[in-house]
Amino acid sequence: MVDRQTIDAKILSRMFLAGAKNLEAKKEWINELNVFPVPDGDTGTNMTMTIMAAAAEVGSLGEPDMESLAKAISSGSLRGARGNSGVILSQLFRGFYKGVKDQDVLTTETVAVGFKKAVETAYKAVMKPKEGTILTVAKVTAEKAVYCARNTEDFEEFAQVVIKEANEILQKTPEMLPVLKEAGVVDSGGQGLVEFLQGAVDALMGKEVDLSSVEKAAVKPAATASEAPLEEKDIKFGYCTEFIVMTKEEISMEEEQKFKDFLMGIGDSIVVVADEDIIKVHVHTNHPGKAIEKGLTYGELTNMRS
């Protein structure tokens, strides 16, 4: 019987894979919700590809400890991150697992600390954070987790409070972003995060989840999503450009900021993450060649997409 006051790496691994499975199952519905920042109908696909890259690494671990699990999720999700929502999701994972990797087992308090670290990491990665998005859902949920952890050590109670808060703030996103209210939808990235959390909570509660497909996950290229109707005047930057820079050594925070500043001059929706020997880049721009040329000054490029 699971001790509901602690979670070990084996349980957390199962929760992560169940969350990935639930997100994968809802990806087409999440695609249909997407209207921000560009209504291209691929948020669910991008988030699923991101999480499945991490799931493939987690599924190959066997008997993980917290540190190896943390590394697999953080590295796998960043390397496999697709789209703005996928990169942000990878940063939420990166922050959470950096916050808990040194623990042998987790309590409600350490999970709440991980949630808080996740939000800090994700907001730091985004050049111009926008409220009413996945970031807001993560932030408000983390705040509730911190509050709840002060009052209970029981994970079942903690999980139910946290998932309820995540759903409630998700329903408020249309009030924060006019484009969501106009379309009559909640934020698609926020919905994806809630679906991941719901799957993880279901696994914690003992719900049977078939994990065979995610444990053996293989990341396949996504088909090009059909673009939702959008007037041309609404598109400021036409190319969603992504790539990974393979560096010989970790770049300094100063160099990382210079890279971000350069991208700000040619585009928006910028997310740049430097992690050990790679830099993950996402930018919407009309000059993808300039972004790629700048990336080449830091190292070799891989996983290019525009």
Side-chain angles (χ1 to χ4, degrees):
M1 185 175 179
V2 175
D3 180 352
R4 294 301 183 186
Q5 291 190 349
T6 61
I7 290 175
D8 62 17
K10 184 176 181 180
I11 296 169
L12 188 61
S13 174
R14 181 173 179 82
M15 290 173 65
F16 175 79
L17 292 174
K21 179 74 173 180
N22 199 49
L23 175 56
E24 180 189 36
K26 306 291 179 58
K27 68 178 181 180
E28 294 303 335
W29 173 50
I30 295 168
N31 281 342
E32 292 174 3
L33 294 175
N34 189 38
V35 295
F36 179 84
V38 177
D40 52 6
D42 63 357
T43 296
T45 299
N46 287 339
M47 294 182 78
T48 296
M49 293 186 72
T50 300
I51 206 167
M52 284 302 172
E57 293 200 21
V58 171
S60 67
L61 288 177
E63 295 292 330
D65 56 22
M66 203 66 73
E67 185 174 1
S68 63
L69 178 61
K71 185 175 181 180
I73 293 175
S74 179
S75 175
S77 61
L78 180 58
R79 291 176 183 273
R82 289 284 296 268
N84 196 53
S85 56
V87 179
I88 292 173
L89 182 64
S90 77
Q91 292 313 286
L92 289 170
F93 290 147
R94 181 186 181 211
F96 179 83
Y97 287 102
K98 276 191 173 184
V100 305
K101 68 177 182 178
D102 295 327
Q103 307 294 322
D104 292 326
V105 295
L106 304 183
T107 63
T108 58
E109 185 177 356
T110 52
V111 167
V113 170
F115 275 24
K116 186 176 179 181
K117 184 68 174 177
V119 172
E120 291 172 357
T121 303
Y123 268 86
K124 182 181 176 183
V126 179
M127 288 295 291
K128 292 183 177 180
K130 192 80 172 178
E131 299 304 330
T133 66
I134 183 175
L135 291 170
T136 305
V137 175
K139 179 178 68 174
V140 175
T141 302
E143 290 169 352
K144 190 67 172 185
V146 170
Y147 173 80
C148 185
R150 297 189 188 122
N151 298 291
T152 184
E153 296 178 351
D154 181 76
F155 261 112
E156 289 196 13
E157 180 182 351
F158 175 81
Q160 294 290 6
V161 170
V162 168
I163 194 66
K164 182 174 183 289
E165 184 71 12
N167 273 292
E168 287 181 356
I169 186 59
L170 175 66
Q171 297 307 314
K172 295 177 182 177
T173 55
E175 302 304 318
M176 304 176 204
L177 272 179
V179 66
L180 298 178
K181 190 169 186 178
E182 183 179 349
V185 297
V186 297
D187 178 66
S188 55
Q191 185 73 63
L193 178 60
V194 169
E195 296 305 331
F196 166 76
L197 291 173
Q198 185 63 65
V201 169
D202 287 346
L204 176 67
M205 298 300 181
K207 182 178 178 180
E208 287 297 319
V209 181
D210 178 11
L211 301 179
S212 58
S213 63
V214 289
E215 287 174 339
K216 300 176 182 178
V219 181
K220 300 178 181 179
T224 302
S226 58
E227 191 170 277
L230 178 69
E231 293 185 25
E232 189 173 337
K233 63 182 177 63
D234 291 329
I235 302 178
K236 186 176 182 181
F237 298 105
Y239 297 93
C240 177
T241 302
E242 292 182 307
F243 53 85
I244 289 176
V245 184
M246 308 294 291
T247 61
K248 292 182 179 179
E249 57 185 26
E250 189 169 359
I251 68 169
S252 66
M253 291 181 65
E254 182 181 359
E255 282 300 317
E256 182 180 347
Q257 187 59 51
K258 286 181 180 178
F259 194 6
K260 290 178 179 178
D261 290 342
F262 173 82
L263 294 174
M264 281 291 294
I266 62 170
D268 67 5
S269 295
I270 295 160
V271 187
V272 175
V273 182
D275 186 25
E276 296 182 351
D277 59 346
I278 72 169
I279 309 171
K280 178 71 179 186
V281 179
H282 173 277
V283 57
H284 290 179
T285 179
N286 288 329
H287 305 285
K290 291 183 179 180
I292 290 169
E293 286 177 10
K294 187 65 174 180
L296 283 168
T297 65
Y298 294 98
E300 296 181 3
L301 305 191
T302 185
N303 290 31
M304 288 184 287
R305 177 172 174 256
S306 184

